[in-house]
Amino acid sequence: MLLGCMVLFVALETDAETDVCFQVTEQAPVARRDAVVDGIHSVEFGGYEIQTWYSSPYPGEYQHIKKIYICEFCLKYKKCSVSLSRHMVKCVQRYPPGIEIYRRGVISVFEVDGALSTEYCQNLCLFAKLFLDHKTLYYEVGPFLFYIMTETDSSGCHLVGYFSKEKESALKYNLSCILTLPQHMRKGYGKMLIEFSYLLSKMEDKIGSPEKPLSDLGLLTYRSYWKGVLLDFLLDFKRPTVSIKDLSSETAISQYDIISTLQSLGMLKYWKGKHVLLRRQDVLREHRRKQQVKAKHSQLIDAKYLRWSPYEKEAPRVCVPRV
């Protein structure tokens, strides 16, 4: 018996995507310090010394040192602080080598083409692997676009996180890899990057989903994002029925990800021969309360600041100076 719940009858689509329902167990992210036995243990980057979580395939001579030094602007790596200092005197780069497609306050997002800025993107991937378990892309960056989020001050645009995606994804993924740098975690940047990836999907008039498997941190952040978007939708939804396809069209979230999220919330059941969405008032009330608390401090992506058009193979991007 379904007690204390308002019921919305859900018209589940019958395509292959929505036939699959699954439960995802969320696990707290673990800093896998034990995974780095030999090799790089820490990185000096932009005034921070960051402990690494995983190994990364830097050139052989870097595998025998415990600490490397990375330029926060061009991402070139050095063996010692003296080499980095000398490099910083000569380095003129102060923002990612791409097109600034979003700027709101001090937050900017740059689109960088892996085929045009190969060395930068390779260095970014090597750096990111120090904090990602499942990442396998390091050098073949040409087929990918990288979206670099930065914080800007008088000295330049400082990397806080990024995501990448294939220029042409056969599986319709809207994101291949995502990372918020450890020193900038718990500031909302992960959700902003995810929100930005779905904004681009909406601009392309496509449904998006991240490439699997996700890292532990990535799964937690995505599940939090999906939950927030779906509960916001249900709070405002007044009609007696809704289809998973409708939810997907409104949010650009894939039907597969919607089903898994609703199941994890205990809001999707099979009852009397029909799939029903339970409008659980306890879950919705708690979500509304948290949203009111977060509203004063959260950072959001505002679509009106986006200056972007979908990638076209026949019309490659031209990098323009930031002004």
Side-chain angles (χ1 to χ4, degrees), residues 229-243:
V229 170
L230 294 175
L231 292 180
D232 283 343
F233 181 88
L234 293 175
L235 279 170
D236 296 331
F237 190 80
K238 305 302 181 186
R239 299 197 304 271
T241 63
V242 64
S243 71

Side-chain angles (χ1 to χ4, degrees), residues 194-219:
I194 292 173
E195 185 179 359
F196 197 85
S197 72
Y198 280 103
L199 174 59
L200 299 187
S201 293
K202 291 176 182 178
M203 294 285 291
E204 295 174 302
D205 197 25
K206 295 179 179 179
I207 303 300
S209 184
E211 187 174 326
K212 313 298 190 303
L214 291 167
S215 66
D216 291 341
L217 285 172
L219 175 59

Side-chain angles (χ1 to χ4, degrees), residues 17-277:
E17 182 179 31
T18 54
D19 284 340
V20 182
C21 298
F22 68 100
Q23 293 278 0
V24 178
T25 302
E26 294 185 359
Q27 299 180 0
V30 179
R32 288 283 303 280
R33 192 65 194 87
D34 58 318
V36 187
V37 178
D38 296 318
I40 301 164
H41 283 218
S42 66
V43 180
E44 185 170 307
F45 181 86
Y48 295 92
E49 182 168 337
I50 312 168
Q51 298 299 309
T52 61
W53 298 352
Y54 303 98
S55 60
S56 180
Y58 279 96
E61 63 268 27
Y62 286 84
Q63 297 299 324
H64 303 291
I65 58 178
K66 301 301 182 184
K67 181 178 179 180
I68 63 170
Y69 301 78
I70 297 179
C71 173
E72 65 170 321
F73 296 115
C74 71
L75 304 184
K76 290 182 179 179
Y77 44 89
K78 303 295 179 180
K79 294 180 181 178
C80 67
S81 59
V82 174
S83 295
L84 179 63
S85 297
R86 289 172 178 168
H87 167 80
M88 293 300 293
V89 171
K90 301 176 183 178
C91 184
V92 297
Q93 190 167 323
R94 288 298 177 266
Y95 52 85
I99 304 169
E100 187 180 22
I101 61 173
Y102 180 90
R103 187 194 299 186
R104 184 187 182 191
V106 299
I107 302 299
S108 291
V109 178
F110 294 80
E111 182 184 70
V112 182
D113 190 330
L116 300 179
S117 302
T118 302
E119 183 180 11
Y120 178 90
C121 295
Q122 289 175 341
N123 289 341
L124 176 62
C125 291
L126 289 171
F127 182 35
K129 180 60 183 75
L130 294 170
F131 311 104
L132 295 173
D133 186 16
H134 300 293
K135 185 169 181 59
T136 56
L137 169 69
Y138 313 118
Y139 296 107
E140 297 299 323
V141 296
F144 292 85
L145 296 170
F146 295 78
Y147 295 88
I148 317 296
M149 182 170 286
T150 66
E151 274 187 355
T152 304
D153 62 20
S154 59
S155 63
C157 298
H158 306 275
L159 173 67
V160 299
Y162 84 100
F163 71 88
S164 62
K165 72 171 186 176
E166 290 182 278
K167 296 172 183 175
E168 300 178 27
S169 174
L171 298 176
K172 300 180 180 179
Y173 292 134
N174 68 347
L175 184 146
S176 297
C177 180
I178 183 171
L179 174 71
T180 303
L181 296 186
Q183 70 270 31
H184 294 294
M185 288 179 178
R186 308 187 69 84
K187 297 180 181 179
Y189 289 124
K191 284 188 180 179
M192 289 178 71
L193 287 165
I194 292 173
E195 185 179 359
F196 197 85
S197 72
Y198 280 103
L199 174 59
L200 299 187
S201 293
K202 291 176 182 178
M203 294 285 291
E204 295 174 302
D205 197 25
K206 295 179 179 179
I207 303 300
S209 184
E211 187 174 326
K212 313 298 190 303
L214 291 167
S215 66
D216 291 341
L217 285 172
L219 175 59
L220 286 172
T221 308
Y222 261 98
R223 179 53 53 79
S224 177
Y225 173 79
W226 291 331
K227 173 183 172 181
V229 170
L230 294 175
L231 292 180
D232 283 343
F233 181 88
L234 293 175
L235 279 170
D236 296 331
F237 190 80
K238 305 302 181 186
R239 299 197 304 271
T241 63
V242 64
S243 71
I244 295 296
K245 186 176 182 180
D246 289 339
L247 280 170
S248 182
S249 296
E250 288 290 330
T251 63
I253 300 172
S254 75
Q255 296 180 37
Y256 188 83
D257 295 331
I258 289 172
I259 290 172
S260 70
T261 302
L262 292 174
Q263 286 186 323
S264 73
L265 291 169
M267 297 180 72
L268 189 63
K269 302 293 183 181
Y270 192 76
W271 184 58
K272 291 188 177 181
K274 294 183 179 180
H275 286 92
V276 294
L277 177 61

Side-chain angles (χ1 to χ4, degrees), residues 280-296:
R280 291 183 52 185
Q281 296 302 315
D282 57 333
V283 174
L284 293 173
R285 280 195 300 268
E286 179 64 13
H287 175 67
R288 177 177 283 149
R289 184 190 67 80
K290 289 182 177 179
Q291 292 300 93
Q292 291 172 345
V293 172
K294 291 179 179 179
K296 298 179 181 179

